[in-house]
Each structure stands twice: as C-alpha cells, then as structure tokens.
Amino acid sequence: GAGVSQSPSNKVTEKGKDVELRCDPISGHTALYWYRQRLGQGLEFLIYFQGNSAPDKSGLPSDRFSAERTGESVSTLTIQRTQQEDSAVYLCASSVGLAGNEQFFGPGTRLTVL
Amino acid sequence: GEDVEQSLFLSVREGDSSVINCTYTDSSSTYLYWYKQEPGAGLQLLTYIFSNMDMKQDQRLTVLLNKKDKHLSLRIADTQTGDSAIYFCAEDKGYSTLTFGKGTMLLVSP
C-alpha cells in the first residue's frame, strides 16, 4: 500500500496480558516512530528507529514497553503485563529520516485494557 | 512552559475564518507543524513552517509564527464542514521526534 499501515486496528485485552502491535512503514522510509495518544491528551513520543542506529527509547514509559524493528521494515511494539492506564491509541509514523521531514502517520491501534 | 499549549475547542460557522493558536516550548525549534486528525483516522500533515519565516500561506491556510513569543497560529479561511477535526500543533526540537500539543477540536456548523 501507499501509506503506513498498522494492525490490529482495535485490541481489547485483559489486565496482565501481553499485547503486540504491528506497524508497516512506507517502503524506503528509514525512520520509524511510535507515539501514544491517551484520551483527551496530545501525542506522547515513545520510541524512534533510524536506519541501523540504536533506537531512541527515551519516551518508553516503563520497562513493560519494548519495540523492535526488522531492518528498515516492520516494527512491533510490545506491552507486557498490560495495565488499564496503557489504554490509548498507539500511532506509528515513518519518514525518510532527515530532520524536518514529514512524518506520515498510520491510522493507529486502539488498545483497551479491561 | 514544558508543554506545547493549545486551546481545546473552537466552534465556528461555515464560511467564517478559524484561527487556532499554539504556544510552543523551545525557541530553537527548527520546524513547527500543524497536523489534522479526522475521526477514526491517523494524523495528516497540513502544513509546516521553518523557524526563519514569519508567515506561510498555502491556499486557505495561513500560518503565522512569532518566535519572540513562541506563538504559532493556523488560520483557515472560508471554513467548511469538512474542516471539522482535531488540529495538533507540533515542534521539532532537532532530535527528529516531534512534541505535540493536546490538540484543538474544531467544530464547523452549517
């Protein structure tokens, strides 16, 4: 496809379970970002991948959160032992990687932790 | 302040102009952005302005930047019902990640 895709679009889970969210960036985009948008809040930066460099994990809120990226393609965001406060829309974006370049956002995954 | 600040809600009539304001945090931010989020959709970049500019116009959109006050505004001329969405202001502090405001919900009534 032409844009960033994310799956699943919706995920409902029980507290304490692990979840995996997937992002397929635009082909050729070397930079990939994960953000979290809680209800009524702005976007929070979580993690950033750029090429083969070590990811910038400075936004991850706890050690329950981790993310991986395979080369310059798919990324997965994993949340272990989910808590109710993890409920949010998780947005992925990609860009060509240079500062100031437009970030293209996916539609997001809405996570609800019961 | 530490956060990018925006008013939460704006309501206008169709055909009026809308002005959405934002105060950002870092005077050294190189790029400032406006994103639009329609219900159930991801964010879409509307426009951006480089920090050495005071104004940028793009069709119905006008961006004004006041670096001294760290104030950014987005004016939408002849607002249409299709412009109803949440508008996010964001700054690029140079680390390639963006810092977003909480968004302004624009409601356009016929």
Side-chain angles (χ1 to χ4, degrees), chain B residues 6-84:
Chain B
Q6 297 180 240
S7 52
L8 294 182
F9 186 75
L10 176 65
S11 178
V12 300
R13 301 281 286 270
E14 193 172 22
D16 288 349
S17 292
S18 307
V19 179
I20 303 172
N21 294 302
C22 168
T23 302
Y24 59 98
T25 67
D26 192 338
S27 57
S28 64
S29 288
T30 50
Y31 291 90
L32 295 135
Y33 302 82
W34 284 104
Y35 281 83
K36 177 182 180 182
Q37 185 179 34
E38 295 182 81
L43 281 93
Q44 172 196 0
L45 179 67
L46 275 183
T47 187
Y48 66 92
I49 188 167
F50 189 53
S51 59
N52 68 352
M53 299 169 64
D54 298 324
M55 185 182 85
K56 180 178 180 181
Q57 188 147 4
D58 183 2
Q59 300 182 342
R60 293 190 297 122
L61 305 178
T62 303
V63 179
L64 295 178
L65 176 61
N66 180 332
K67 282 190 69 175
K68 175 176 170 289
D69 295 336
K70 291 183 282 188
H71 185 263
L72 183 73
S73 68
L74 174 69
R75 179 177 181 270
I76 306 172
D78 187 25
T79 315
Q80 304 297 306
T81 54
D83 295 324
S84 293

Side-chain angles (χ1 to χ4, degrees), chain A residues 28-33 48-51 69 72 93-104, chain B residues 92 94-97:
Chain A
H29 281 192
T30 59
L32 186 146
Y33 313 77
Y48 159 63
F49 296 90
Q50 169 57 50
R69 187 179 186 192
E72 293 187 351
S94 70
S95 74
V96 295
L98 301 175
N101 261 272
E102 177 180 356
Q103 293 184 23
F104 292 81
Chain B
D92 177 353
Y95 308 125
S96 296
T97 61

